[in-house]
Amino acid sequence: MSTTVENSTDNAWRTFVQGKWNKEIDVRDFIQKNYTPYQGDAAFLSGPTSKTQKLWQALEENYLSIERQKRVFDVDTDTPADIDAFGPGYISEEDDVIVGLQTDTPLKRAMMPNGGWRMVETAIKEAGKEINPEVKEIFTRYRKTHNDAVFDIYTPRIRAARSSHIITGLPDAYGRGRIIGDYRRVALYGVDQLIAWKQEDKDKVADKPFSEHWARYREEHSEQIKALKKLKAMAASYGFDISGPAKNAKEAVQWTYFGYLAAVKSQDGAAMSIGRLSAFFDCYFERDFAEGTLDEQGAQEIIDALVVKLRIVRFLRTEAYDQIFSGDPYWATWSDAGFGEDGRTLVTKTSFRLLQTLINLGPAPEPNITIFWSPRLPEGYKEFCAKISIETSSVQYEADDQIRRQWGDDAAIACCVSPMRVGKQMQFFGARVNAAKTLLYAINGGRDEVTGKQVVPGYEGIVGDGPLDFNDVWERYEKMLDWVVGTYVEALNIIHYCHDRYAYECLEMALHDSDIVRTMGCGIAGLSIVADSLSAIKYAKVTPVRDETGLVVDYHTEGDFPCYGNDDDRVDDIAATIVHTVMAKIKEIKLYRDAIPTQSVLTITSNVVYGKATGAFPSGHEAGTPFAPGANPENGMDSHGMLASMLSVGKLDYHDALDGISLTNTIVPSSLGRTKEEQIQNLVGIMDAGFIPQNSSC
């Protein structure tokens, strides 16, 4: 993209340092040339304005309190969702700082049937609403959905693996998510220029010979252009002309939010992250401060108003979906802090303002505030992060050094731990395989330890009643992983082929470069259980316990064995080998659209559901009980403290899990010290010590 933006932007871009960004799309270049790093403390911050307090009170009294009683406040059963499907909606008369709702009423959920009608119908009925028969007829008779297409293609072995829960959480009936539109582009360039650039890219291939790639490229660009036009119309319904760039900080935040709002109006992805915004917004705030048109109270009010809107994003989900994800999360993840490649911190005053919303509005899981941590961050900011974590338990931390080294300094987190370059990269989200259950399949020759069914054909189980041999079990485990991983990746290829055809994220992709990097985000569950169980087989004496059919349903373990999470190389090396082995097998398989394979060790919420479908283990893990989340040690198995568990997780090779590694820790504030100051300093010290170079996230 090389078309120079017209001079009409001169007023919007006044005083900004120019560069590559004002000749082509390069938001990172704009930020690097115009942001102001902040090395100070939180003393400058402002509390909530009376308008903010009244807005939040109205939201609580009229909507949130009712939703908590009913689970679902309301559903529009007549209007399939789209960017411009609903007229403007407001929370109250005070709702005039940052405006825009998903539908025409706060918390009212919209149908998104393109992903699949079955889930929509179930969710509507569970919410106590009636199905509109005309809408049902459209999406069951006239309009094929993503879910229909997936199950038309699924093979018998995929269906068997799905039914037995050895592969769980596949995005075959809901939006895949994990795509971060560069919503900042709406504010920096305006929609008209974005449309012009997309049209230019589309026309660049107009004279090339026909191919499937050529046809898809032009069709997708057409859909992106249509989505941008709908975005413009949606903003106009609220009285805003976003055809050109934002001219001040309030417009920059509003324009950016309109971009995100269009995404959540049209897609119900499993994670709808908003990206990396603070340094971008701060460029506008600092300019307005310099021009005397904004003060700190006004700046905080704008950020508070945006966060209010992010907290009330809602999707129409089934109760079963909520059980998988332990609630109704949408992961509007906002990534912040870290360092630029030039060594300057990316902490700005707006980084503080974002954390301050947890004080002004109270704690909340959304947006999922994610701090790119480094021991080199400014001390005042580290202490404020620790203070907010202690007081609200609402902040997530990622290892900045690892992410920046792999993905650059304009990366953001999609969902919980998945990093990607904003606007230049997207992910084909893949849920995860049950790596723990796979071990039990290896021992039982492909029979399910819960149902007794022969799920995987052609494998022989271990015979005899003697102790298990580590080398024999490991060899069988590797062979079973071949089947499980192959089935898993085949399912992912099918899902994303169908998703692109029937539920394409045209608005989110309109806010990406035309040529992007695609990754396939695979994942594993039950790492600590496998590691501990293999450790028990290797270092203790494990004897299988069979039922009357010969199925191994339990284990008798005698002797001690090292457990993962205690900084013990004997078992930590087993865990690292498991992650490496699964990743190596994924890399051997051709992926849809030549995606780059990545892997996560992540089950922050779904670990309970995985455990329910899985039997007992040599480690002592009982049948039907929850897995430890992500890369966490098993509950009660880590006896050497939090730092030791962080060091064990840190031994997992990040290159084997570029989609992220999750460690969830719970600390009682009083255990950090007697005074608030001691608690803050000790928490900072723990994070500094834990975020050593090999760590990916925590």
Side-chain angles (χ1 to χ4, degrees):
M1 301 176 181
S2 58
T3 303
T4 302
V5 180
E6 297 296 329
N7 292 332
S8 60
T9 61
D10 287 350
N11 182 48
W13 292 347
R14 66 192 182 280
T15 75
F16 285 144
V17 177
Q18 297 191 1
K20 183 181 176 183
W21 66 268
N22 65 299
K23 298 180 177 64
E24 61 187 61
I25 293 179
D26 195 334
V27 180
R28 177 192 175 275
D29 183 64
F30 166 78
I31 293 169
Q32 289 294 313
K33 286 184 168 58
N34 289 283
Y35 87 101
T36 304
Y38 181 64
Q39 300 283 347
D41 59 23
F44 72 94
L45 287 168
S46 175
T49 64
S50 60
K51 176 174 288 192
T52 298
Q53 291 174 323
K54 290 178 181 177
L55 181 68
W56 189 249
Q57 183 178 3
L59 184 63
E60 171 61 33
E61 292 177 355
N62 299 324
Y63 301 101
L64 290 171
S65 61
I66 298 172
E67 183 185 56
R68 283 194 290 271
Q69 297 172 11
K70 298 172 59 179
R71 179 179 167 267
V72 174
F73 178 81
D74 195 10
V75 181
D76 187 303
T77 60
D78 301 318
T79 312
D82 202 353
I83 296 168
D84 57 353
F86 294 92
Y90 301 88
I91 298 171
S92 68
E93 292 182 357
E94 279 70 32
D95 189 9
D96 62 359
V97 180
I98 299 299
V99 303
L101 301 177
Q102 277 179 292
T103 59
D104 54 3
T105 302
L107 307 185
K108 181 193 285 186
R109 306 184 190 216
M111 299 179 294
M112 296 189 182
N114 289 342
W117 176 255
R118 178 179 55 82
M119 181 173 281
V120 168
E121 182 170 355
T122 300
I124 290 173
K125 290 179 179 178
E126 289 175 348
K129 307 287 287 187
E130 295 294 326
I131 304 295
N132 183 320
E134 293 182 0
V135 176
K136 179 176 181 178
E137 184 178 24
I138 291 170
F139 287 96
T140 56
R141 183 174 180 182
Y142 299 110
R143 208 293 188 178
K144 189 170 187 176
T145 69
H146 161 236
N147 183 244
D148 294 332
V150 167
F151 277 86
D152 281 348
I153 303 174
Y154 266 175
T155 62
R157 73 174 189 170
I158 295 174
R159 289 173 179 264
R162 190 178 185 275
S163 297
S164 67
H165 305 290
I166 198 164
I167 301 174
T168 307
L170 292 170
D172 51 17
Y174 59 90
R176 56 191 170 191
R178 299 281 187 94
I179 299 173
I180 308 174
D182 191 354
Y183 307 110
R184 305 167 302 184
R185 296 182 181 188
V186 181
L188 187 57
Y189 298 108
V191 175
D192 283 356
Q193 183 59 65
L194 296 178
I195 291 173
W197 274 326
K198 282 295 181 182
Q199 186 65 51
E200 180 182 314
D201 284 347
K202 178 185 175 182
D203 291 341
K204 282 179 181 178
V205 302
D207 297 328
K208 291 189 175 183
F210 178 85
S211 68
E212 184 177 349
H213 171 76
W214 176 90
R216 178 164 55 188
Y217 183 90
R218 285 185 56 79
E219 182 181 24
E220 288 182 350
H221 276 69
S222 292
E223 292 300 311
Q224 292 171 22
I225 291 168
K226 291 174 187 175
L228 289 170
K229 290 178 178 178
K230 289 180 181 180
L231 165 60
K232 189 175 171 182
M234 182 267 288
S237 73
Y238 283 95
F240 291 92
D241 178 6
I242 63 172
S243 58
K247 298 181 292 296
N248 55 49
K250 186 176 179 180
E251 286 191 356
V253 175
Q254 180 70 71
W255 271 222
T256 301
Y257 173 62
F258 275 143
Y260 180 74
L261 181 61
V264 297
K265 278 176 170 284
S266 57
Q267 284 290 333
D268 62 344
M272 298 294 289
S273 302
I274 198 168
R276 193 163 186 160
L277 304 178
S278 294
F280 176 75
F281 288 156
D282 206 73
C283 298
Y284 290 88
F285 282 128
E286 288 296 314
R287 186 179 67 176
D288 284 5
F289 288 142
E291 293 178 347
T293 57
L294 187 69
D295 59 16
E296 183 54 43
Q297 189 176 60
Q300 187 65 54
E301 183 178 70
I302 292 170
I303 296 299
D304 286 346
L306 174 60
V307 168
V308 167
K309 292 301 192 300
L310 297 181
R311 288 189 179 188
I312 59 173
V313 171
R314 295 292 187 271
F315 295 110
L316 183 61
R317 309 291 201 194
T318 64
E319 292 176 1
Y321 181 99
D322 288 357
Q323 289 175 2
I324 291 175
F325 294 102
S326 297
D328 190 18
Y330 40 95
W331 288 290
T333 305
W334 183 326
S335 304
D336 207 348
F339 282 85
E341 293 172 5
D342 62 1
R344 293 184 297 162
T345 180
L346 284 161
V347 172
T348 64
K349 285 188 174 180
T350 301
S351 302
F352 281 80
R353 295 178 186 118
L354 174 61
L355 292 172
Q356 180 69 12
T357 65
L358 295 168
I359 301 300
N360 290 357
L361 303 174
E366 302 285 1
N368 179 23
I369 297 174
T370 300
I371 305 303
F372 286 10
W373 187 273
S374 168
R376 298 185 295 119
L377 286 174
E379 289 301 319
Y381 183 68
K382 291 198 295 184
E383 291 172 1
F384 192 57
C385 285
K387 174 180 182 294
I388 296 298
S389 288
I390 290 168
E391 294 178 357
T392 71
S393 190
S394 299
V395 184
Q396 174 177 288
Y397 297 93
E398 304 275 342
D400 179 61
D401 289 340
Q402 286 284 53
I403 292 173
R404 186 180 65 257
R405 189 178 303 123
Q406 186 68 38
W407 308 108
D409 60 9
D410 196 38
I413 298 298
C415 189
C416 307
V417 297
S418 304
M420 58 189 67
R421 297 175 188 266
V422 179
K424 300 181 179 300
Q425 179 182 338
M426 62 89 72
Q427 182 192 100
F428 294 139
F429 166 57
R432 51 202 59 86
V433 297
N434 191 331
K437 193 177 182 76
T438 303
L439 177 65
L440 303 184
Y441 272 37
I443 292 170
N444 276 312
R447 289 182 67 192
D448 190 277
E449 75 286 354
V450 177
T451 66
K453 292 180 180 179
Q454 186 73 43
V455 176
V456 184
Y459 289 79
E460 294 184 0
I462 294 175
V463 297
D465 297 323
L468 297 176
D469 176 75
F470 175 82
N471 292 328
D472 179 44
V473 171
W474 177 257
E475 183 179 353
R476 292 171 184 272
Y477 185 52
E478 274 218 72
K479 289 179 180 178
M480 188 58 66
L481 281 173
D482 287 334
W483 188 93
V484 173
V485 170
T487 304
Y488 173 48
V489 174
E490 182 178 69
L492 296 183
N493 283 335
I494 291 169
I495 288 167
H496 294 294
Y497 166 81
C498 295
H499 208 294
D500 277 350
R501 293 190 67 190
Y502 298 102
Y504 179 65
E505 300 91 342
C506 47
L507 188 279
E508 291 164 270
M509 297 312 299
L511 299 176
H512 280 71
D513 292 354
S514 291
D515 296 306
I516 62 169
V517 172
R518 294 177 175 86
T519 61
M520 185 72 80
C522 305
I524 60 173
L527 174 64
S528 58
I529 299 174
V530 186
D532 286 353
S533 293
L534 289 171
S535 175
I537 294 169
K538 186 173 184 178
Y539 295 105
K541 179 182 177 182
V542 176
T543 305
V545 178
R546 302 179 185 272
D547 67 9
E548 64 277 4
T549 70
L551 183 73
V552 178
V553 294
D554 205 349
Y555 301 88
H556 180 61
T557 301
E558 300 174 82
D560 296 328
F561 56 93
C563 295
Y564 169 74
N566 296 293
D567 192 22
D568 189 321
D569 288 345
R570 291 176 296 169
V571 62
D572 293 348
D573 287 349
I574 293 175
T577 300
I578 294 164
V579 176
H580 177 77
T581 300
V582 174
M583 188 69 248
K585 293 182 184 299
I586 294 170
K587 287 180 178 179
E588 293 174 356
I589 305 170
K590 180 175 176 56
L591 300 179
Y592 172 63
R593 294 187 85 164
D594 295 320
I596 298 169
T598 61
Q599 180 177 213
S600 66
V601 187
L602 168 70
T603 51
I604 285 180
T605 54
S606 53
N607 49 296
V608 176
V609 175
Y610 284 103
K612 285 182 179 179
T614 307
F617 287 86
S619 63
H621 185 96
E622 296 180 357
T625 58
F627 289 3
N632 274 52
E634 277 284 273
N635 292 331
M637 296 293 200
D638 52 332
S639 57
H640 286 60
M642 178 176 168
L643 184 56
S645 69
M646 295 175 78
L647 293 174
S648 286
V649 173
K651 295 172 190 175
L652 304 179
D653 190 338
Y654 183 49
H655 293 92
D656 289 329
L658 288 174
D659 196 41
I661 303 169
S662 168
L663 173 62
T664 305
N665 279 311
T666 301
I667 306 173
V668 178
S670 59
S671 68
L672 291 169
R674 290 172 295 179
T675 67
K676 178 62 69 68
E677 183 178 352
E678 283 182 351
Q679 293 170 4
I680 290 171
Q681 292 301 322
N682 287 334
L683 182 55
V684 168
I686 289 172
M687 290 194 290
D688 280 350
F691 280 100
I692 52 180
Q694 67 262 35
N695 269 348
S696 64
S697 65
C698 182

